[in-house]
């Protein structure tokens, strides 16, 4: 069932709550691919009822980012969700989410601001205000849907860590389930932004997962010095790659490391054909 308004959604949710059913929420910005579907499958196997939100959230995009051209494929998304047995696709307008005429600025709108330590690094360093926008929309969705469980991908590793922190700090009574990264056979992590890439661009984009896999291999051969591990990336890079960051940090706290250990995660952001791509890998466990 496709629902556009909070009121209609609440009516359905209230019926489920009355019947004592467990509810899972999968927040997305649409343009669904197999990565999203893996979250939906996990939600289906965990909960009685599943809501997928499909909303390109304006307040998590910076002024020079791709909000206007972000792929919007609602009709296809609904078909995919129907195929997975999703109970409700919630696709609100921006006015529905934030209020008609509401100026989308923290002068006039209540924002959720995650701690500086968590946002002043990795993606947050260049995407100023991005995680404020993410936390604000996610907490709103949590309050609208009131799920028992919410499902997030490790693909956006910094995001899921920040959301867990918000849930913990604000005593939000929802369990966050983190799901592994889904990749193409080539190793490329699935992303809605891959649609912007040409075939050559997709080939060049393989460098992200190659760099991460190589770092993992080197770590497992005994190299632990973070600078040495990061330097192994250079041999993969060409003039097609505009590297934004490559970092090795603690996988739960995002604390910097001098020596990598079994709790480390390597994260990369790199532009290919001016498309900003991100990926990450746990150095020890499989992912
Ligand atoms: P998005 O629509 O990009 O905001 O993503 C919605 C959710 O899907 C987020 O929790 C993402 O981490 C997750 N996701 C995106 N790509 C993948 C992927 N390749 N594998 C697993 N989860 C993903």
């Amino acid at each position: 069932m496709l629902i556009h308004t909070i009121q209609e959604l609440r009516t359905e949710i209230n019926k489920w709550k009355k019947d004592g059913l467990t509810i899972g929420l999968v927040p997305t910005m649409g343009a669904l691919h197999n990565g999203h579907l893996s979250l939906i499958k996990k939600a289906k196997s965990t909960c009685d009822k599943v809501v997928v939100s499909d909303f390109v959230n304006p307040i998590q995009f910076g002024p020079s980012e791709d909000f206007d051209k972000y792929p919007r494929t609602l009709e296809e998304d609904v078909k995919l969700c129907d195929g997975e047995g999703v109970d409700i696709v919630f696709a609100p307008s921006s006015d529905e989410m934030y209020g008609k005429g509401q100026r989308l600025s923290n002068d006039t709108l209540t924002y959720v601001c995650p701690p500086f330590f968590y946002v002043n690094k990795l993606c947050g360093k260049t995407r100023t205000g991005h995680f404020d926008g993410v936390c604000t929309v996610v907490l709103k969705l949590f309050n609208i849907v009131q799920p028992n469980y919410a499902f997030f991908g490790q693909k956006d590793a910094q995001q899921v860590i920040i959301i867990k922190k918000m849930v913990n700090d604000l005593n939000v009574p929802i369990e966050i389930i983190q799901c592994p990264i889904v990749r193409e056979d080539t190793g490329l992590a699935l992303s809605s932004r891959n649609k912007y890439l040409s075939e050559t661009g997709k080939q060049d984009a393989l460098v992200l997962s190659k760099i991460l896999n190589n770092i993992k291999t080197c770590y497992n051969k005994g190299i632990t010095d973070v600078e040495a591990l990061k330097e192994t990336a250079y041999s993969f890079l060409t003039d097609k790659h505009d590297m934004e960051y490559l970092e090795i940090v603690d996988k739960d706290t995002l604390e910097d490391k001098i020596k990598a250990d079994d709790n480390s995660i390597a994260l990369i952001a790199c532009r290919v054909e001016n498309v900003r791509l991100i990926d990450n890998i746990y150095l020890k466990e499989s992912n």
Side-chain angles (χ1 to χ4, degrees), residues 116-139:
F116 191 65
F117 178 82
Y118 288 76
V119 299
N120 185 34
K121 55 183 60 172
L122 306 167
C123 293
K125 221 172 184 172
T126 47
R127 303 192 73 188
T128 312
H130 169 68
F131 289 111
D132 298 3
V134 169
C135 284
T136 303
V137 79
V138 168
L139 190 62

Side-chain angles (χ1 to χ4, degrees), residues 27-29 33 35-36 39 70 152-153 155-156 159 180-182 190:
T28 82
M29 297 205 299
H33 52 64
H36 299 112
L39 270 56
Y70 196 84
F152 292 88
K155 165 78 179 8
D156 298 274
Q159 169 174 283
I181 301 177
V182 177
L190 298 190

Side-chain angles (χ1 to χ4, degrees), residues 61-257:
F61 288 79
S64 61
E65 293 183 357
D66 57 346
F67 174 70
D68 288 332
K69 72 165 192 174
Y70 196 84
R72 288 162 171 87
T73 58
L74 183 59
E75 215 172 295
E76 279 166 51
D77 294 348
V78 171
K79 278 188 200 145
L80 287 170
C81 286
D82 282 348
E84 297 297 333
V86 167
D87 298 280
I88 292 177
V89 176
F90 177 52
S93 65
S94 184
D95 282 353
E96 181 69 13
M97 277 303 273
Y98 292 109
K100 208 168 165 43
Q102 171 69 56
R103 208 158 55 80
L104 300 180
S105 135
N106 58 7
D107 287 344
T108 52
L109 186 70
T110 305
Y111 272 64
V112 181
C113 301
F116 191 65
F117 178 82
Y118 288 76
V119 299
N120 185 34
K121 55 183 60 172
L122 306 167
C123 293
K125 221 172 184 172
T126 47
R127 303 192 73 188
T128 312
H130 169 68
F131 289 111
D132 298 3
V134 169
C135 284
T136 303
V137 79
V138 168
L139 190 62
K140 282 168 74 71
L141 289 167
F142 285 177
N143 286 331
I144 292 166
V145 179
Q146 298 175 24
N148 304 84
Y149 302 90
F151 298 82
F152 292 88
Q154 194 214 310
K155 165 78 179 8
D156 298 274
Q158 187 177 14
Q159 169 174 283
V160 71
I161 289 171
I162 288 174
I163 285 165
K164 283 180 184 166
K165 176 76 179 147
M166 172 183 80
V167 161
N168 183 64
D169 289 354
L170 301 182
N171 308 94
V172 181
I174 294 169
E175 191 174 329
I176 303 301
I177 311 275
Q178 181 172 326
C179 304
I181 301 177
V182 177
R183 300 175 180 283
E184 287 186 0
D185 292 342
T186 56
L188 180 65
L190 298 190
S191 163
S192 306
R193 289 190 169 96
N194 292 351
K195 289 191 178 166
Y196 302 145
L197 294 170
S198 71
E199 277 313 309
T200 328
K202 275 192 159 188
Q203 287 302 313
D204 294 327
L206 297 183
V207 155
L208 278 81
S209 56
K210 282 185 183 159
I211 287 174
L212 294 174
N213 277 314
N214 186 53
I215 287 179
K216 181 171 180 155
T217 305
C218 292
Y219 170 73
N220 284 293
K221 279 185 183 157
I223 304 175
T224 58
D225 182 74
V226 163
E227 284 312 313
L229 286 169
K230 282 164 65 171
E231 270 170 29
T232 64
Y234 289 115
S235 61
F236 293 90
L237 297 170
T238 69
D239 58 359
K240 303 283 176 59
H241 304 107
D242 181 8
M243 179 82 99
E244 185 181 302
Y245 67 73
L246 172 64
E247 302 289 352
I248 297 173
V249 301
D250 185 273
K251 74 178 173 59
D252 301 313
T253 63
L254 298 179
E255 272 167 90
D256 287 331
K257 303 255 181 191

